[in-house]
Amino acid sequence: MRLAAASATDQGRVRSNNEDAFLIDDQRALFAVADGMGGHRGGEVASHTAIEALRAAMANGTPLHDAITRANTAVLTRAAGDDELTGMGTTMTAVVAVGGRQLLIGHVGDSRAYLLHDGTLRRATDDHSLVEELVREGRLTPEQAEAHPQRAIVTRALGVDSEVEVDLYTLDVETGDRVVLCSDGLTTMVRERDIERLARAEQDPQRLAEALVGAANEAGGEDNITVIVIDVLEADPVVAHDPTALVAEQTVPVSRSAVVAPPDPPEPRVPRAKGSRGRTVRSAILVVLPLLLIVGAATAALGWYARSSYFVGASGSEVVIYKGVPGGVLGWNPTVDRRTGLVVASLPALDRDRVTTNGARGSLATAVAYVGRLRAAADAVASTTTTTRPKRTTTTTRPRRTTTTTRPRVTVTTKVGP
Ligand code: MG
C-alpha cells in the first residue's frame, strides 16, 4: 500500500495554547492525533507524552492496541507526583497500515477518523463522549448534541485510569480513498457535510488539511484544531478467498509467522559419494522434512486462526455472530455461533453497512460487546421514530469517570511530527 499524508494544526481563535499533538511516521505508515486536557501545562504534556509513547512502542514492534495502553501508562506515570499535571488526560486516534489494503484504527476519546470513499464521507470511529452516549441511548438527537454545552466531556481518555478500553477498527481501503483524522476542534465547528464537501473538492492533501483548519477558525475556532489527511495512492486489489492475503493482514503473530515464515537456512552441502544412494535419500529428507514441518505448522496456524476469531455479520435479515473468518480459509468456513434476534434493517445506516460487510472482527467478547452497541443503536433509532419515548432501562456502560476540558492560558505551542 502506498500512502501520502499531510497535516495542519492550529490553536484556534480562543485558546492561547495548542494542547493537540499529532504524529506522521511515514516509514511505519503510522498516524495519530491526540487532544490533551487538564489544568496548567497538563493538556499539552498529556498529548505529547502519549504520542511519543505510541511512537516508541510501535517502533519496538508492539501491536497497536498494546502501544495505546502503553501510552496510557506513560501519561499516568508522567502525572504521578506532579501536582501541576494531576488529572491530565488525552484522546488518541491512531491509524496504521496492515497488509496491502487495510488500515487498523485504535481509538480512545472524541477525536475522530473519517473515510472518504467514492465521494462519500463516513465516520469510522465512535466518540467516547457524554453527548454521543446520550445520542446512542436516544436521549439526545444528533442536532441537540451538536450544540450541547457538555459536548466536550469525554467518557474515555488516556491517563485517567490504569486500565483503558481501546476500540479497534479495521478499515478496508481502495486506491483513491482518503482518511481524515481530526481533533474535536474541527468537528465541533464544521459540519460533516462541509468536511465531506471540502474533502471531495480539494485534491491536494496538504491544502485540504489547511482548508479544514481554516474552516474551523472561520466558524469561531473555539478549540485547538488538528487534521491529518491520508491519501491511499495505491492499495492492493481485493482478491476473493485468498487466504495468504487475509492472514498477512492480521496482527495475530501466530498466523503471521506461520505464513510469512523466514526462509530456512540453506542446508549444508552433503558431499555425495558416487553411487551412495543412502546419502541421497538422507539429504532429500533433510530438505523435504523442514518444508513439510513448515507447511504443517502453517496449516495448523491457519486452522487455528480460522476457528478462533469471530465476526458480526448478517444471516438473512438477522444480525448474528459468526465463528471463523469472512469468506473462510482453506475450507474452514465460518459458522453461526449465536443468533441475536436483532433485525439488520433496524440499525442505523452506518452500522448496517458495517454488519453487511462483516466489519467487526475479533474475539467473541469483542463481537458480543459490538452487538450490545448495535442493540443500543437500534433502540435509539426506534425511539426517535416514536412520538412518545418509552422510559429506558439501558445497559450501556456508564462513564467511570469524566474528564472535563478546562483550558488554562499558557503561551507555549509545540508540535510533534514534521
Ligand atoms: Mg479538543
Side-chain angles (χ1 to χ4, degrees):
M1 180 153 38
R2 215 155 57 79
L3 304 171
S7 63
T9 188
D10 192 78
Q11 68 186 45
R13 296 256 164 99
V14 176
R15 314 275 187 214
S16 56
N17 64 331
N18 192 344
E19 299 185 326
D20 288 354
F22 69 91
L23 171 69
I24 292 185
D25 183 340
D26 285 320
Q27 242 181 342
R28 282 184 190 82
L30 169 67
F31 314 91
V33 167
D35 176 355
M37 55 203 79
H40 300 284
R41 297 174 299 121
E44 55 183 282
V45 174
S47 60
H48 287 84
T49 303
I51 287 281
E52 174 49 29
L54 173 84
R55 192 202 57 73
M58 295 290 287
N60 286 335
T62 310
L64 182 61
H65 176 277
D66 297 355
I68 293 178
T69 60
R70 281 200 203 175
N72 180 53
T73 309
V75 176
L76 278 171
T77 309
R78 183 77 179 76
D82 188 336
D83 286 347
E84 275 206 345
L85 302 179
T86 302
M88 70 178 182
T90 182
T91 71
M92 169 77 75
T93 302
V95 170
V96 65
V98 283
R101 54 181 178 84
Q102 257 186 350
L103 301 176
L104 183 65
I105 304 176
H107 167 69
V108 175
D110 67 353
S111 300
R112 288 180 184 175
Y114 288 96
L115 174 69
L116 183 79
H117 175 74
D118 277 348
T120 304
L121 189 80
R122 78 171 173 90
R123 209 204 303 175
T125 48
D126 290 330
D127 290 355
H128 304 131
S129 69
L130 186 64
V131 290
E132 183 136 316
E133 287 191 7
L134 292 174
V135 170
R136 280 198 285 268
E137 289 173 20
R139 297 204 268 164
L140 282 182
T141 65
E143 292 71 33
Q144 288 169 325
E146 276 182 5
H148 201 279
Q150 286 174 312
R151 66 187 180 201
I153 295 180
V154 296
T155 51
R156 237 193 265 175
L158 302 187
V160 177
D161 210 334
S162 60
E163 284 190 9
V164 65
E165 195 184 336
V166 180
D167 285 352
L168 284 183
Y169 306 86
T170 52
L171 212 55
D172 291 318
V173 291
E174 291 174 19
T175 302
D177 283 354
R178 173 169 260 184
V179 172
V180 175
L181 299 185
C182 60
S183 61
D184 70 333
L186 174 69
T187 50
T188 52
M189 292 286 114
V190 184
R191 285 168 180 271
E192 285 185 356
R193 60 168 177 267
D194 293 322
I195 298 176
E196 181 184 77
R197 185 174 47 77
L198 286 166
R200 226 171 10 200
E202 180 53 69
Q203 291 307 302
D204 181 70
Q206 183 61 48
R207 281 206 297 269
L208 171 61
E210 286 162 15
L212 289 170
V213 167
N217 272 329
E218 268 167 43
E222 289 174 14
D223 195 0
N224 307 142
I225 312 137
T226 300
V227 175
I228 296 180
V229 177
I230 306 158
D231 280 349
V232 181
L233 301 180
E234 217 177 276
D236 288 356
V238 179
V239 183
H241 304 295
D242 178 353
T244 320
L246 252 174
V247 173
E249 282 159 14
Q250 283 295 314
T251 44
V252 184
V254 176
S255 329
R256 199 185 177 89
S257 58
V259 175
V260 197
D264 257 28
E267 288 301 329
R269 279 193 175 276
V270 183
R272 189 193 296 178
K274 264 185 193 163
S276 167
R277 191 157 181 267
R279 279 255 169 91
T280 314
V281 172
R282 261 203 306 282
S283 66
I285 287 175
L286 277 174
V287 174
V288 170
L289 197 62
L291 277 176
L292 284 176
L293 286 175
I294 291 171
V295 170
T299 310
L302 271 174
W304 170 86
Y305 161 67
R307 298 302 299 161
S308 67
S309 56
Y310 294 80
F311 65 95
V312 177
S315 170
S317 60
E318 188 186 2
V319 178
V320 298
I321 296 177
Y322 283 102
K323 185 175 190 178
V325 175
V329 178
L330 286 184
W332 283 288
N333 289 321
T335 52
V336 174
D337 189 72
R338 49 185 84 177
R339 303 196 156 271
T340 67
L342 201 56
V343 179
V344 177
S346 70
L347 300 173
L350 187 68
D351 290 316
R352 214 156 49 217
D353 262 17
R354 217 177 265 166
V355 166
T356 49
T357 56
N358 307 317
R361 298 171 205 170
S363 67
L364 179 60
T366 313
V368 169
Y370 182 59
V371 167
R373 285 218 303 279
L374 291 179
R375 213 177 282 286
D379 284 352
V381 170
S383 69
T384 51
T385 51
T386 54
T387 38
T388 41
R389 187 170 297 153
K391 178 108 181 87
R392 311 184 66 79
T393 50
T394 171
T395 53
T396 307
T397 334
R398 293 272 156 205
R400 267 178 302 184
R401 231 178 278 182
T402 58
T403 310
T404 50
T405 50
T406 35
R407 310 283 177 165
R409 298 202 157 257
V410 183
T411 49
V412 186
T413 305
T414 46
K415 286 186 183 181
V416 169

